[in-house]
Amino acid sequence: MGREFNELFDEWSLSYDNTVSGNDPEYEDVFIHYDEILTKVAEHSSGTVVEFGVGTGNLTAKLLNKGLNVYGMEPSEGMRKIARKKIPFVKIMDGDFLEFPKIPEPIDTFVSTYAFHHLTDEEKAKAIKKYSTLLNKGGRIVFADTVFATLDAKDEMIRDAKRKNFNRLAEDLEREYYTTISVLQDIFNQNGFSVSFTKLNPFVWLIDAEKVDS
C-alpha cells in the first residue's frame, strides 16, 4: 500500500521542498513545471476533496486557495509534521490510497500528485475500484504522476538516467511501481470511468477520470 516507502519519505521530508523546486539535478526533469502541475490538478478538482500523499502540503494549499473542502491523507509522519506546520487549519490524517479514515460527507474528487506509483498495479486496481464505490456519477479522480507510454519508454528512461550517472533516479525508476498508460486506461474503464492522459513534463502525466457509470 506504499507504506514500505515511509522511512524514505520521513527522511526526504526535510529536503522535499528543495527538491521539487528544481535544486536536485537528478530530479530536475521530474519536477519541471511543478507549480503548474499542482495548479492543473486543483483546476480539475471540485467540492469535497480527498488528497492522497499530501507530502509537505503544496497541492493542499492550492486546493484550499480554490475554496475546496480538503481531507488530506499522508502515511509519512515526517511529511505530516511539516504539512501541519505549513497549513495547520486543514485536516491531515494518517492514511494511504487503500486504508484511510471514513469521510463524513460525500466525496466529489480524489486527487494526488507524485504518489500513485507507490502502489503495485494490483493495488492501483483495488484503489480505483474503492473510489468508484465512493463517488457519485460525475465524480472525478485527478492524479498527476510519473507514467510511461510503453514499457520500452520506461526502459529507455532508465538507460538515459544511467548514462547521465543519475544513479538515484535510475534506482527509483527500477524500484517503485511505475506503470503504463494502457494499464491505467484498462483499470479506469473497468471501474466505470472515462479517463484522459495529458503529458505535463518528460515524466509526469495528468490523469483525469470522470465516473460515467452510476
Side-chain angles (χ1 to χ4, degrees):
M1 293 181 288
R3 288 183 181 261
E4 62 267 37
F5 301 109
N6 272 6
E7 184 176 347
L8 171 66
F9 277 91
D10 284 343
E11 180 181 343
W12 196 16
S13 65
L14 301 175
S15 60
Y16 182 81
D17 284 338
N18 186 62
T19 300
V20 300
S21 297
N23 294 317
D24 184 336
E26 287 202 35
Y27 286 87
E28 184 176 359
D29 283 356
V30 178
F31 293 106
I32 290 175
H33 310 310
Y34 177 72
D35 190 70
E36 291 90 338
I37 288 169
L38 303 190
T39 298
K40 283 279 189 185
V41 173
E43 287 174 349
H44 286 253
S45 305
S46 64
T48 294
V49 178
V50 174
E51 179 189 356
F52 296 111
V54 164
T56 60
N58 298 326
L59 173 60
T60 318
K62 288 187 177 291
L63 297 167
L64 293 172
N65 287 339
K66 192 182 173 186
L68 305 181
N69 179 29
V70 182
Y71 291 86
M73 306 296 165
E74 173 54 59
S76 162
E77 183 179 359
M79 291 288 192
R80 284 199 306 273
K81 285 180 179 178
I82 292 175
R84 285 169 176 161
K85 287 180 181 178
K86 290 168 68 173
I87 41 175
F89 43 85
V90 75
K91 314 169 201 67
I92 300 176
M93 296 169 275
D94 182 0
D96 57 55
F97 283 101
L98 284 169
E99 300 294 336
F100 53 93
K102 181 177 175 61
I103 306 302
E105 54 191 304
I107 301 166
D108 300 294
T109 317
F110 287 102
V111 304
S112 180
T113 53
Y114 292 90
F116 201 43
H117 61 272
H118 298 140
L119 273 63
T120 65
D121 286 351
E122 182 181 358
E123 289 171 336
K124 290 183 181 78
K126 289 179 180 178
I128 300 305
K129 183 177 181 179
K130 182 170 185 173
Y131 309 155
S132 179
T133 68
L134 296 172
L135 290 171
N136 292 319
K137 187 175 181 180
R140 305 191 87 85
I141 298 172
V142 186
F143 289 171
D145 197 24
T146 294
V147 182
F148 294 97
T150 64
L151 288 175
D152 284 344
K154 177 181 176 181
D155 290 341
E156 176 54 33
M157 196 67 81
I158 293 169
R159 287 193 293 269
D160 184 62
K162 290 179 178 179
R163 282 195 294 268
K164 295 175 180 176
N165 291 319
F166 288 173
N167 296 319
R168 287 181 294 125
L169 176 59
E171 290 170 5
D172 180 357
L173 293 173
E174 291 178 318
R175 177 182 64 242
E176 299 197 30
Y177 310 119
Y178 298 100
T179 193
T180 62
I181 288 175
S182 62
V183 168
L184 291 178
Q185 179 93 51
D186 287 345
I187 290 172
F188 280 104
N189 290 163
Q190 288 167 12
N191 287 283
F193 290 92
S194 172
V195 61
S196 65
F197 299 85
T198 305
K199 195 169 188 179
L200 300 180
N201 75 22
F203 287 84
V204 174
W205 295 70
L206 178 70
I207 306 160
D208 184 12
E210 179 182 0
K211 188 177 179 187
V212 293
D213 291 346
S214 55

